[in-house]
Amino acid sequence: MSSLLEKEIKRRRTFGIISHPDAGKTTLTEKLLLFGGAIQMAGAVKSRKTDNHAVSDWMAIEKERGISVTTSVMQFNYRDFEVNLLDTPGHKDFSEDTYRVLTAVDSALMVIDSAKGVEAQTEKLMEVCRMRNTPVITFINKLDREGREPLDILSEIEEKLQIECTPLTWPIGMGKGFKGVYNIMRQELNLFTPSKDRRPQDSIMVKDLDDPLLEQMLGSYADRLREDLELLAGAASPFDHKEYLKASQTPVFFGSAVNNFGVKELLDAFVELAPPPGPRATTTRMVSPDEEAFSGFTFKIQANMNPAHRDRIAFFRICSGKFTKGMKVMHHRLGKEVALANATIFMAQDRTNVEEAWPGDIIGIHNHGTIKIGDTFSDKEPLKFTGIPNFAPEHFRRVLIKNPLKIKQLNKGLVQLAEEGAVQLFRPTMGSDYILGAVGVLQFEVTMARLKAEYGVDAVYEPVSYATARWIDCEDRKKLDAFKSKNLAHLALDAEGHLAYLAESEWRLGRVQELFPEIVFRKTREHS
Ligand code: G4P
């Protein structure tokens, strides 16, 4: 192993931010980027919600609803670390996208609103982190507002998210009485003064909690802090790095993102505690990041990131070896060698051509329809990274077009949007219509808007009576044929040619499963 490769891996941190909408994910992202020097000005990331030409390709629909539809990737440098931050859509209707993004990270940062505690989307996202044993650091936000008692929130996290909390900072007061946080690890007091643009705040070392300095700084809050810390020492387990890496413990930080308070402590702890890129599973073996041979996989495809370019970018996570500009790699699904000529690294407000990149980095590859989600590229060895799922849709629509002459554009648009994972496409074995499937109904709206904007197709939807779908598999050819001939009206092929069974209800699905016990009905399907 080259020592340079080893050094670059050690200083990489690739993580996703997860939260329920409105908890402060965008605000926190912006502050992290400020510390990393990736942006100069507060407000730059916030503008995502209103400015059409900024970092990612949110669309009119996102603007209207004030939700983050797409996922953006940003790289920044902090201390000696290269940090890859993957933002995820907070809205539940885009959770499929979020799940796939979480396959490309090594750890996650969870943001919780101190007044609201654990919310529905936090629970769903944490479920994915748990499934994948992704280590999670927690930031409890908005301490400048009246919120719930910190101990209350911690016990809710432990109960609902099944992860042990170990606070590494502790808040002093809240709302109007918010005085600051005590950094338990460093034994430092950080006093709060509201301000949006301030960079690191001064810290006061308080080694001895009985120091009268505490009274001078905090007045009557000093005693409360002592009591809280005593209580915590008895109630919470001490922080254990191994437990965090195993995803059974989450270190907790408190602060106020909008005031840039508690964020530096969070970032410092993050780069020190969060894991560098680790080994990844393929269908044949584990691939270690320090292998010289290059490998990685595509977890997301995004169209028209820049309306001026009208391009499609495949987001690719490097899993091993070094990437160099122009290198040739095997595209195993196609069995072809391809040159990665102009890959891109995404900075906060810019994208730059990448000359070299390392395990953990996310690069953008220009895609002319030959790259799909889940595709593996590697040096020579045929590898296939696993764990990038398609989820069984829960909502369905039939697509009709107003102008039949546009059928070609419709086909092209639907196939491309399905490849991006924006929506799932099914072609029933009987009939010529397309059925779209989605995990969240907003995906339909986005698809419709994009068909019009990007492919010039005016389409309308018609409701269909399906409520669920399963991918079908059976080792016994004869039994599969028998199943097919009895269920033709419910069968469809997805965009990648996999057979699926569409059912009107869970009850009906259960019934068919009983009748055909030898058929495997899958709720998720790995990208092939
Ligand atoms: P999201 O990406 O998780 O959806 O949340 P976002 O950062 O957009 O924050 C949601 C709202 O919460 C924003 O207010 C934001 O200013 C506010 N916020 C974020 N961090 C804090 C904090 O530490 N304290 C307080 N009091 N508020 C915070 P908004 O009114 O929706 O938007 P804006 O008008 O402030 O831009």
Side-chain angles (χ1 to χ4, degrees):
M1 182 202 333
S2 86
S3 60
L4 182 59
L5 179 58
E6 193 178 5
K7 186 173 148 241
E8 292 296 339
I9 293 167
K10 268 199 186 139
R11 63 187 206 95
R12 290 283 179 304
R13 298 289 182 273
T14 301
F15 76 110
I17 304 197
I18 57 175
S19 75
H20 192 85
D22 266 351
K25 186 161 60 90
T26 313
T27 313
L28 181 64
T29 301
E30 176 190 279
K31 304 303 172 191
L32 294 175
L33 294 174
L34 273 171
F35 280 114
I39 53 172
Q40 310 310 324
M41 193 181 65
V45 176
K46 204 73 201 137
S47 66
R48 282 189 57 177
K49 285 182 181 167
T50 49
D51 176 359
N52 239 338
H53 301 277
V55 189
S56 74
D57 76 335
W58 58 97
M59 312 170 9
I61 181 168
E62 183 180 25
K63 216 161 81 178
E64 272 165 28
R65 294 175 179 262
I67 52 172
S68 168
V69 176
T70 53
T71 308
S72 37
V73 174
M74 289 165 237
Q75 190 179 71
F76 65 93
N77 184 273
Y78 181 68
R79 292 173 23 191
D80 193 31
F81 296 91
E82 280 303 328
V83 182
N84 291 289
L85 185 163
L86 279 65
D87 187 18
T88 53
H91 196 283
K92 69 174 176 24
D93 280 12
F94 300 100
S95 48
E96 253 204 300
D97 200 29
T98 303
Y99 294 143
R100 285 194 287 256
V101 167
L102 290 177
T103 64
V105 303
D106 300 306
S107 69
L109 179 59
M110 170 167 74
V111 186
I112 286 184
D113 182 328
S114 74
K116 296 190 176 144
V118 175
E119 296 176 85
Q121 192 61 5
T122 337
E123 279 191 66
K124 276 195 130 185
L125 291 164
M126 270 300 286
E127 230 172 79
V128 183
C129 291
R130 250 202 323 275
M131 260 158 50
R132 307 183 52 81
N133 285 329
T134 309
V136 177
I137 291 182
T138 302
F139 183 71
I140 298 183
N141 191 27
K142 307 196 186 180
L143 265 292
D144 60 316
R145 282 206 189 145
E146 289 303 323
R148 307 212 338 231
E149 281 302 320
L151 275 174
D152 231 34
I153 303 177
L154 298 190
S155 55
E156 188 185 36
I157 295 176
E158 296 203 336
E159 200 177 295
K160 287 195 176 158
L161 306 179
Q162 294 162 38
I163 190 163
E164 189 181 37
C165 292
T166 48
L168 296 189
T169 66
W170 193 251
I172 305 155
M174 67 170 84
K176 287 206 174 68
F178 183 46
K179 297 288 171 202
V181 294
Y182 181 71
N183 192 322
I184 299 172
M185 275 223 298
R186 291 174 198 255
Q187 298 177 305
E188 275 173 11
L189 187 65
N190 296 317
L191 293 175
F192 174 68
T193 40
S195 149
K196 283 196 199 282
D197 302 323
R198 192 168 32 89
R199 303 272 296 243
Q201 50 277 150
D202 292 331
S203 309
I204 302 153
M205 192 72 115
V206 187
K207 283 260 178 258
D208 177 6
L209 283 174
D210 290 327
D211 195 329
L213 187 68
L214 218 54
E215 261 76 18
Q216 273 176 37
M217 298 291 164
L218 301 176
S220 61
Y221 286 87
D223 267 344
R224 174 72 198 267
L225 174 66
R226 290 187 188 108
E227 277 167 30
D228 279 356
L229 292 176
E230 204 174 315
L231 197 68
L232 267 184
S237 308
F239 175 64
D240 181 338
H241 194 221
K242 280 199 218 81
E243 294 300 312
Y244 156 67
L245 293 178
K246 275 180 9 202
S248 52
Q249 204 181 64
T250 178
V252 181
F253 294 80
F254 292 84
S256 166
V258 80
N259 290 293
N260 201 0
F261 190 80
V263 178
K264 185 172 183 298
E265 289 81 353
L266 175 73
L267 185 56
D268 279 324
F270 168 77
V271 291
E272 284 158 24
L273 303 177
R280 298 228 149 210
T282 69
T283 48
T284 42
R285 66 181 184 88
M286 292 299 281
V287 170
S288 176
D290 55 17
E291 293 178 21
E292 296 286 342
F294 173 85
S295 71
F297 64 91
T298 307
F299 60 94
K300 178 180 172 68
I301 293 182
Q302 194 165 320
N304 304 325
M305 297 236 344
N306 180 344
H309 292 175
R310 292 193 63 82
D311 53 359
R312 298 174 81 207
I313 301 271
F315 286 88
F316 185 89
R317 148 104 197 195
I318 301 176
C319 296
S320 69
K322 176 187 175 184
F323 166 86
T324 41
K325 186 178 170 175
M327 78 188 295
K328 293 200 170 119
V329 294
M330 274 306 284
H331 184 333
H332 292 293
R333 186 175 51 81
L334 300 183
K336 262 188 13 196
E337 199 177 56
V338 292
L340 300 179
N342 50 0
T344 306
I345 284 256
F346 301 89
M347 312 302 277
Q349 284 164 309
D350 223 344
R351 22 162 126 178
T352 51
N353 251 329
V354 51
E355 299 292 327
E356 55 178 45
W358 305 89
D361 284 344
I362 310 295
I363 55 174
I365 303 170
H366 289 270
N367 176 19
H368 306 289
T370 50
I371 308 175
K372 288 185 186 178
I373 291 173
D375 278 349
T376 296
F377 292 170
S378 70
D379 252 9
K380 284 191 181 62
E381 184 185 346
L383 292 170
K384 171 90 183 93
F385 287 96
T386 58
I388 304 121
N390 246 332
F391 290 83
E394 287 158 28
H395 306 277
F396 298 84
R397 299 279 186 278
R398 177 174 285 116
V399 190
L400 303 172
I401 69 175
K402 291 184 180 161
N403 178 357
L405 293 176
K406 294 262 183 180
I407 188 79
K408 260 195 173 166
Q409 284 92 322
L410 176 73
N411 289 353
K412 184 175 168 206
L414 288 178
V415 167
Q416 291 197 343
L417 293 174
E419 274 173 21
E420 264 176 47
V423 76
Q424 296 188 42
L425 179 63
F426 295 95
R427 289 172 234 225
T429 45
M430 292 168 72
S432 57
D433 293 337
Y434 287 111
I435 306 278
L436 295 189
V439 176
V441 285
L442 272 180
Q443 287 178 255
F444 293 130
E445 272 186 61
V446 171
T447 303
M448 180 85 81
R450 290 188 53 186
L451 277 175
K452 192 169 168 57
E454 296 164 29
Y455 301 91
V457 177
D458 258 327
V460 285
Y461 291 133
E462 206 180 66
V464 275
S465 57
Y466 300 124
T468 189
R470 293 292 183 274
W471 284 279
I472 298 300
D473 223 345
C474 182
E475 289 194 346
D476 187 329
R477 198 84 231 150
K478 271 198 186 142
K479 288 193 168 142
L480 183 62
D481 286 343
F483 169 76
K484 277 168 57 179
S485 67
K486 290 242 166 63
N487 292 283
L488 265 186
H490 286 88
L491 296 179
L493 292 178
D494 73 6
E496 291 181 8
H498 294 275
L499 189 65
Y501 178 86
L502 310 182
E504 292 89 351
S505 64
E506 289 288 340
W507 180 85
R508 165 93 202 187
L509 175 68
R511 190 80 193 104
V512 178
Q513 283 173 312
E514 272 170 33
L515 288 172
F516 297 92
E518 59 288 341
I519 301 287
V520 184
F521 293 80
R522 290 188 209 284
K523 216 173 171 174
T524 58
R525 183 179 69 69
E526 293 248 332
H527 282 269
S528 55

